[in-house]
Amino acid sequence: VTAFQWPVRVYYEDTDAGGVVYHTSYIRFLERARTEWLRALGYTQSKLNDEQHLLFSVVSLAMQYHSPARLDDLLNVGLTAHVSGGASVTFRQTIVRQADDVTLASGEVRVACLDSVTFKPRRLPEDLRKEFV
Amino acid sequence: VTAFQWPVRVYYEDTDAGGVVYHTSYIRFLERARTEWLRALGYTQSKLNDEQHLLFSVVSLAMQYHSPARLDDLLNVGLTAHVSGGASVTFRQTIVRQADDVTLASGEVRVACLDSVTFKPRRLPEDLRKEFV
Amino acid sequence: VTAFQWPVRVYYEDTDAGGVVYHTSYIRFLERARTEWLRALGYTQSKLNDEQHLLFSVVSLAMQYHSPARLDDLLNVGLTAHVSGGASVTFRQTIVRQADDVTLASGEVRVACLDSVTFKPRRLPEDLRKEFV
Amino acid sequence: VTAFQWPVRVYYEDTDAGGVVYHTSYIRFLERARTEWLRALGYTQSKLNDEQHLLFSVVSLAMQYHSPARLDDLLNVGLTAHVSGGASVTFRQTIVRQADDVTLASGEVRVACLDSVTFKPRRLPEDLRKEFV
């Protein structure tokens, strides 16, 4: 289990005519944090694909929306990573507004490790598995 | 319980560099079907907001991704609506590829009825509730 | 020169917290019309890529925003296609609100024909060129 | 004339099945830089709207795409601001890949200052105009 946080600013592109952040934008924010967590560990997805034909693919997700984020809000997207089997990782993630530390949304995202050519499940690389636990 | 289907075509805007539909795009497709289902029942969200200060807001969602959709695929987005309490509706939704009838993704989305001024829960209008059951 | 129209409905996903359609959403709408125009002529971009390694890529665009589209608006996206040289097409496009026939936005988009492996310019296929003129 | 730069990382959400950044994503990146430039000057659009009913709206834009950005690229989005009349600003913007300093796209975006209630043009606030020149 590792903990990681990534800041996200809300722009117009993330909002909708309800005046708040559009419900799928939060899910994009979750992925940015997962991507930056990988990068902080020394992995970039484009290299993993180019060099090892390894792709991460979202298998399932669950989101709970507690309170809306708004234009110009600065958010913290947090995650903990939990290996579930040899070929997938489950991320527990939260989106917190920095100004008052209120949790606006929380989610659980299961990501499978796939071969980018065959799209078949692939065992997570050992050096990556070590980082997860 | 009502059943409804809405066709969605996959464009470049919906895909990502993995070569398939981006995982949040499916969730936008689910909303299009819910919106068109409301429209088929005679309700448009902009009018509900303007005339009755009534807003629908996603409270929670769960998605399962079974198989990827690709550029140019024609999809059918289906839903059944289940009233859960007086102020929210749960939609069970599927995304099926028309060419071979394979279910690519399925989801459950809970939507709350809110006052668009106070953002407080509002009882679903009686005439709308009748349509749901 | 050919003329073509494609209807587009505005959903929440297309809007922003300004209460109107987000400025880049119109540009996605333009691409939908170009894609459906190609499809109407018998071409799908995924097949052109798979079978002929042929890719269309936007080289430049110019947009003029006249009046905002809003949630639930039904739009007509029109185009005329003008071959400009052997390896590119210029589309003149408009976005018109169906309810009152007001032109909300207009644009000019130049699209190059590329080899999807080398990313180098490719002459438009002769059978496609015939359709353009 | 002022100069400003803002870094943007490319995520999956920004790419398309062509394997590169989707052509409208660059235009979202341009807006992020404009927003952060305003923020660096002490202005946030949500406050300008809430407190002064002042809204910025894109009137026209022109984009040139020179070379594609890819997943995981780190970009610099630059701008210079040019007041054009009393109620609008023209931004000249570039998107440069940090790794090799290559300019991938350049654009010109004209933004009008509007009253957010009437949607009519509004003179740029004097204290903001001073910053522009």
Side-chain angles (χ1 to χ4, degrees):
Chain A
V1 176
T2 45
F4 181 79
Q5 284 206 329
W6 188 253
V8 168
R9 177 73 72 174
V10 175
Y11 297 110
Y12 265 116
E13 62 182 274
D14 306 310
T15 61
D16 70 25
V20 296
V21 169
Y22 184 59
H23 71 293
T24 72
S25 300
Y26 299 93
I27 304 175
R28 294 191 285 109
F29 299 166
L30 295 187
E31 189 188 51
R32 292 187 201 174
R34 295 195 305 274
T35 299
E36 294 299 339
W37 170 75
L38 271 175
R39 196 184 323 276
L41 296 177
Y43 303 94
T44 57
Q45 286 169 287
S46 45
K47 268 191 201 165
L48 285 172
N49 190 354
D50 290 351
E51 297 171 3
Q52 305 185 36
H53 295 274
L54 191 153
L55 193 70
F56 292 107
S57 176
V58 174
V59 175
S60 65
L61 61 83
M63 287 292 294
Q64 314 263 323
Y65 300 90
H66 310 303
S67 187
R70 289 164 200 282
L71 184 64
D72 290 318
D73 278 353
L74 187 55
L75 309 173
N76 259 332
V77 185
L79 69 81
T80 57
H82 309 257
V83 175
S84 49
S88 79
V89 192
T90 297
F91 295 90
R92 295 200 188 120
Q93 299 196 249
T94 52
I95 297 178
V96 173
R97 185 167 48 215
Q98 288 199 11
D100 57 9
D101 216 39
V102 169
T103 301
L104 305 180
S106 47
E108 193 167 298
V109 183
R110 198 154 80 87
V111 175
C113 184
L114 298 179
D115 188 289
S116 62
V117 178
T118 64
F119 279 91
K120 294 214 167 135
R122 270 247 317 253
R123 191 172 174 77
L124 291 163
E126 282 314 307
D127 56 343
L128 201 60
R129 285 178 60 85
K130 272 182 283 179
E131 307 282 1
F132 285 7
V133 188
Chain B
V1 178
T2 45
F4 181 79
Q5 284 206 329
W6 187 254
V8 168
R9 176 73 73 173
V10 175
Y11 297 110
Y12 266 117
E13 63 183 274
D14 305 310
T15 61
D16 69 24
V20 297
V21 168
Y22 185 58
H23 71 293
T24 71
S25 300
Y26 299 91
I27 304 175
R28 294 190 285 110
F29 298 166
L30 296 186
E31 189 188 52
R32 293 187 200 173
R34 295 194 304 273
T35 300
E36 293 301 338
W37 170 75
L38 272 175
R39 197 184 324 276
L41 295 177
Y43 302 94
T44 57
Q45 286 169 286
S46 45
K47 267 192 201 165
L48 285 172
N49 190 352
D50 290 351
E51 297 172 4
Q52 303 185 38
H53 295 275
L54 190 151
L55 192 72
F56 292 108
S57 177
V58 174
V59 174
S60 65
L61 61 83
M63 287 292 293
Q64 314 263 321
Y65 300 91
H66 310 304
S67 186
R70 288 165 199 282
L71 184 64
D72 289 319
D73 278 353
L74 188 54
L75 310 173
N76 258 333
V77 185
L79 69 81
T80 57
H82 310 258
V83 175
S84 49
S88 79
V89 192
T90 298
F91 295 90
R92 295 198 188 123
Q93 301 198 248
T94 52
I95 297 179
V96 172
R97 186 168 47 212
Q98 288 200 11
D100 57 8
D101 217 39
V102 169
T103 300
L104 305 180
S106 47
E108 194 168 297
V109 183
R110 198 153 80 87
V111 175
C113 184
L114 299 180
D115 188 289
S116 61
V117 178
T118 63
F119 281 90
K120 294 213 167 137
R122 271 248 314 254
R123 190 171 174 78
L124 291 163
E126 283 313 308
D127 55 344
L128 200 60
R129 286 177 59 87
K130 272 182 284 180
E131 306 283 2
F132 286 5
V133 186
Chain C
V1 176
T2 45
F4 181 79
Q5 284 206 329
W6 187 254
V8 167
R9 176 73 73 174
V10 175
Y11 298 110
Y12 266 116
E13 62 183 273
D14 305 311
T15 61
D16 70 23
V20 297
V21 168
Y22 184 60
H23 71 293
T24 71
S25 300
Y26 300 91
I27 304 175
R28 294 190 285 109
F29 298 166
L30 296 186
E31 190 189 51
R32 293 186 201 173
R34 296 194 304 271
T35 300
E36 294 300 338
W37 170 76
L38 272 176
R39 197 185 321 278
L41 295 177
Y43 303 94
T44 57
Q45 286 168 286
S46 45
K47 267 191 202 164
L48 285 171
N49 190 352
D50 291 350
E51 297 172 3
Q52 303 185 39
H53 295 275
L54 191 152
L55 193 71
F56 292 107
S57 177
V58 174
V59 174
S60 65
L61 61 83
M63 288 292 295
Q64 313 263 322
Y65 300 91
H66 310 302
S67 185
R70 289 165 199 280
L71 184 64
D72 289 318
D73 278 353
L74 189 55
L75 310 173
N76 258 333
V77 186
L79 69 82
T80 57
H82 309 259
V83 176
S84 48
S88 78
V89 192
T90 297
F91 295 90
R92 295 201 188 120
Q93 302 199 244
T94 52
I95 297 178
V96 173
R97 188 168 46 213
Q98 289 200 9
D100 57 8
D101 217 40
V102 169
T103 300
L104 306 180
S106 47
E108 193 168 297
V109 183
R110 198 155 79 88
V111 175
C113 184
L114 299 180
D115 187 289
S116 61
V117 177
T118 63
F119 281 90
K120 295 213 166 135
R122 272 249 312 256
R123 192 172 171 75
L124 290 162
E126 282 314 307
D127 56 344
L128 201 59
R129 285 177 60 88
K130 272 182 285 181
E131 307 282 2
F132 285 8
V133 187
Chain D
V1 175
T2 45
F4 182 79
Q5 284 206 328
W6 187 253
V8 168
R9 176 74 72 172
V10 175
Y11 297 111
Y12 265 116
E13 62 183 273
D14 305 311
T15 62
D16 70 23
V20 296
V21 168
Y22 185 60
H23 71 293
T24 71
S25 300
Y26 300 91
I27 305 175
R28 294 190 285 108
F29 299 165
L30 295 187
E31 191 189 51
R32 292 186 202 173
R34 296 194 304 273
T35 300
E36 294 300 339
W37 170 76
L38 271 175
R39 196 184 324 277
L41 295 178
Y43 303 93
T44 58
Q45 286 169 286
S46 46
K47 267 192 202 164
L48 285 171
N49 190 353
D50 290 350
E51 297 172 4
Q52 303 185 39
H53 295 275
L54 190 152
L55 193 71
F56 293 107
S57 177
V58 175
V59 175
S60 65
L61 60 85
M63 287 293 293
Q64 314 262 323
Y65 300 92
H66 310 303
S67 185
R70 290 165 198 281
L71 183 65
D72 290 319
D73 278 353
L74 188 55
L75 310 172
N76 258 334
V77 186
L79 68 81
T80 57
H82 310 258
V83 175
S84 48
S88 78
V89 193
T90 296
F91 295 91
R92 296 201 187 121
Q93 300 198 249
T94 52
I95 298 179
V96 172
R97 188 169 45 214
Q98 289 200 9
D100 57 8
D101 216 39
V102 169
T103 300
L104 305 181
S106 47
E108 192 168 297
V109 183
R110 198 155 79 88
V111 175
C113 184
L114 298 180
D115 187 291
S116 61
V117 177
T118 64
F119 282 89
K120 295 216 167 132
R122 272 251 309 259
R123 190 172 173 76
L124 290 163
E126 283 313 307
D127 55 345
L128 201 59
R129 285 177 59 89
K130 271 181 286 179
E131 306 283 1
F132 286 7
V133 187

